[in-house]
Amino acid sequence: MSDAVTADDPRYKELFDVRTEALQGGYILEDDMNQHFHRLRSEAPVQKGYLRELLDIPEHHKKFATPRAGYTALSFEACNTAFRDNETFSSRLYEDMPGVQAGFGGKTILQMVGPEHRRYRATLQPMFLKPKAFSWWRERWIDDIVRNLIQSLKDQERADLNLQFCARMPVHTVTRGVGLEGEDALAFRTALQTMMGQGGPTPEAAMQASKTIDDLLGATVRRRRETPGDDVISGLIATELEQEDGSRRPLTDQEIMSNCRLIILAGGGTTWRQLGITLWALLSRPQQLEALRADRGLMEAAIDEAARWNPTDPYFSRLVTCDTVLDGVEVPAGVVLDICLGAANRDPARWDNADDYDLLRPFQSHLGFSIGPHQCLGMNGAKAEMVVSLNAFLDEFPNLRLDPDAPAPQLVGALEGRGMTAVPVRLR
Ligand code: HEM
């Protein structure tokens, strides 16, 4: 395996710093946002105004090309309904986001709805089902990457797991899983972030970044068409898309490339931040960590509970396509609905002591990975990555604990992505 995973490369710090990431979007929220979410939800389950407006955050850049009024869903009932009913609350809104258009270089499953979404998602889904995540992904990529990273930490007394582990593991897993070389992971992520930069990149920067992405992905698709491998691109080449009339055809290079861009972007940053949050939840609650040590069968519960308690992406948006009533509130056609899943995940109507991180609580579905037709495609892969990582930490470092001499870790970020400033630990 390449040593790109463990290399001492300054780009990790540049690309995986939650404060820098937030400030690229123009603002950072240092508060625990859950207190604000509680206040808003207790006022009304659905409110007029974008989430940003309800929180008095100035508009730093135009997120959508078309000006529209905004509403925000805050209760579990409202958010759950909005995610599941993708015809009324449409993901086509992504087509109106210039950053998304530039970043993916073509239509992806993220912005499709109804039968079109089902047909395209079906080309990817088999490679992301739970058994595949915990066997194929795990054996081909995750185990190897985790082993190498743990090895690189073994001689250290202290570490920042957020930067030294959480940042590295997912970006390499997903880049290699798609079919690129490990060495390309950071170049690819740098280019994707340039394209997606809030407010948009300069035309020259966009052109250069787009070329980097297309060169890397295009070369891999061409290579795999000649010599099939065992990765996502090879899987997409081998599969056929069901068309509207029921006939089937192979995917085009463009279709493969835009969805692979989406997968690499969606799979790198999210798992980095969510694994950091999960580690922080456990390490700052030694009794919970001990419960997990004593019963590794609780591993998925620990991960799901962290995604409920503090989901890294606290909201997503949809376009409302017809007049409707959501959790008792009238919402007109043509507005944008911000679905604040962060607020939904702590709704006291659904969870007792919702603010507590408690891996022993009875499981109820949450919205940390969304729900309905667009539920995270990579959810099982992300869980497999986190299960392998947490098990490796517990196995290798029986005295793992937060470093009492380091500054206390903080959960900060923008509304679009929140994570840990650091996870400083003593390993011995
Ligand atoms: C802990 C880590 C992750 C979290 C919290 C997360 C969260 C989410 C959420 C909330 C959505 C829904 C977006 C929407 O409804 O508009 C989503 C969609 C998606 N995620 Fe993830 N994700 C994670 C990891 C991953 C990974 C590892 C991959 C790929 C390997 C991935 C690929 C995708 C894709 C392709 C979609 C779009 C699905 C569709 O539109 O049908 N995600 N993710």
Side-chain angles (χ1 to χ4, degrees):
M1 116 115 96
S2 80
D3 56 11
V5 176
T6 54
D8 187 12
D9 187 327
R11 286 178 298 174
Y12 284 110
K13 195 155 176 43
E14 288 157 22
L15 290 168
F16 295 94
D17 179 79
V18 75
R19 282 207 164 93
T20 309
E21 197 176 63
L23 289 170
Q24 278 162 356
Y27 70 101
I28 181 158
L29 304 169
E30 305 263 353
D31 277 9
D32 176 359
M33 295 313 292
N34 294 296
Q35 52 179 312
H36 303 295
F37 295 162
H38 277 313
R39 175 178 53 79
L40 292 175
R41 190 195 333 90
S42 70
E43 288 164 10
V46 178
Q47 296 198 31
K48 190 164 192 295
Y50 285 96
L51 179 59
R52 173 183 60 68
E53 292 171 335
L54 300 178
L55 293 168
D56 285 328
I57 300 167
E59 189 176 28
H60 291 90
H61 64 276
K62 289 259 174 284
K63 197 166 170 183
F64 305 109
T66 313
R68 292 188 176 93
Y71 276 66
T72 300
L74 296 144
S75 65
F76 180 83
E77 167 64 27
C79 295
N80 188 45
T81 303
F83 273 133
R84 288 178 187 274
D85 180 357
N86 204 226
E87 300 285 339
T88 307
F89 304 98
S90 174
S91 298
R92 287 211 198 289
L93 182 66
Y94 283 111
E95 289 177 355
D96 202 34
M97 295 170 74
V100 169
Q101 292 312 303
F104 300 142
K107 208 168 179 183
T108 70
I109 56 168
L110 192 64
Q111 74 223 62
M112 295 175 184
V113 295
E116 183 188 33
H117 176 257
R118 274 196 294 282
R119 290 187 294 107
Y120 276 89
R121 183 151 166 153
T123 64
L124 286 157
Q125 190 80 50
M127 292 182 278
F128 290 87
L129 294 174
K130 192 165 184 184
K132 276 279 185 187
F134 281 82
S135 57
W136 188 56
W137 280 86
R138 178 175 182 162
E139 285 155 20
R140 271 192 64 65
W141 301 292
I142 302 171
D143 281 345
D144 200 24
I145 291 170
V146 168
R147 200 178 310 113
N148 276 274
L149 281 169
I150 293 284
Q151 190 62 35
S152 75
L153 293 172
K154 261 189 168 159
D155 298 331
Q156 297 187 26
E157 194 72 28
R158 295 182 156 90
D160 171 11
L161 294 184
N162 198 44
L163 185 62
Q164 291 176 257
F165 188 97
C166 304
R168 292 167 184 248
M169 183 276 297
V171 73
H172 284 283
T173 302
V174 77
T175 309
R176 292 175 59 201
V178 161
L180 300 183
E181 302 295 328
E183 286 76 12
D184 295 334
L186 296 190
F188 200 91
R189 189 163 178 85
T190 308
L192 268 183
Q193 285 202 338
T194 308
M195 300 293 294
M196 303 286 290
Q198 310 286 5
T202 63
E204 302 77 47
M207 212 153 69
Q208 187 52 47
S210 194
K211 187 172 167 350
T212 305
I213 294 169
D214 286 348
D215 286 354
L216 286 172
L217 268 180
T220 311
V221 173
R222 281 193 296 280
R223 205 166 52 243
R224 292 293 187 244
R225 283 206 188 275
E226 277 168 24
T227 318
D230 188 14
D231 47 43
V232 172
I233 287 182
S234 304
L236 289 175
I237 290 172
T239 195
E240 288 193 321
L241 172 75
E242 188 188 327
Q243 304 193 83
E244 273 164 277
D245 64 3
S247 63
R248 305 179 79 85
R249 67 158 173 84
L251 292 166
T252 64
D253 283 9
Q254 191 53 54
E255 288 166 340
I256 294 175
M257 284 165 62
S258 48
N259 281 300
C260 286
R261 280 185 183 206
L262 166 66
I263 289 167
I264 294 181
L265 190 80
T270 45
T271 316
W272 154 50
R273 295 190 304 262
Q274 194 66 50
L275 180 55
I277 293 169
T278 310
L279 277 165
W280 176 59
L282 291 165
L283 291 166
S284 52
R285 288 167 186 74
Q287 280 183 339
Q288 298 273 315
L289 187 64
E290 274 323 300
L292 186 59
R293 248 187 224 291
D295 180 0
R296 302 292 184 92
L298 292 169
M299 197 57 85
E300 276 190 65
I303 290 163
D304 261 311
E305 175 64 353
R308 178 198 71 80
W309 177 70
N310 268 306
T312 174
D313 297 339
Y315 91 108
F316 287 88
S317 305
R318 297 288 192 262
L319 180 62
V320 181
T321 58
C322 57
D323 290 350
T324 188
V325 177
L326 186 58
D327 202 2
V329 179
E330 287 182 13
V331 181
V335 301
V336 169
L337 181 75
D338 285 345
I339 307 175
C340 185
L341 62 97
N345 274 1
R346 293 207 185 194
D347 189 338
R350 187 167 175 85
W351 286 281
D352 293 334
N353 306 317
D355 286 333
D356 293 351
Y357 173 85
D358 178 5
L359 56 81
L360 296 170
R361 73 167 70 241
F363 179 77
Q364 296 208 80
S365 61
H366 61 83
L367 306 179
F369 292 97
S370 151
I371 207 139
H374 288 273
Q375 185 175 43
C376 178
L377 176 77
M379 176 177 74
N380 296 309
K383 286 184 181 177
E385 289 175 67
M386 293 195 268
V387 165
V388 174
S389 302
L390 293 174
N391 270 322
F393 285 130
L394 296 185
D395 290 343
E396 292 298 332
F397 305 114
N399 285 323
L400 185 70
R401 62 205 184 280
L402 280 180
D403 185 347
D405 301 328
Q410 281 176 270
L411 176 49
V412 301
L415 289 172
E416 286 75 16
R418 302 181 64 71
M420 304 310 300
T421 48
V423 182
V425 292
R426 291 272 187 91
L427 296 168
R428 304 270 150 229

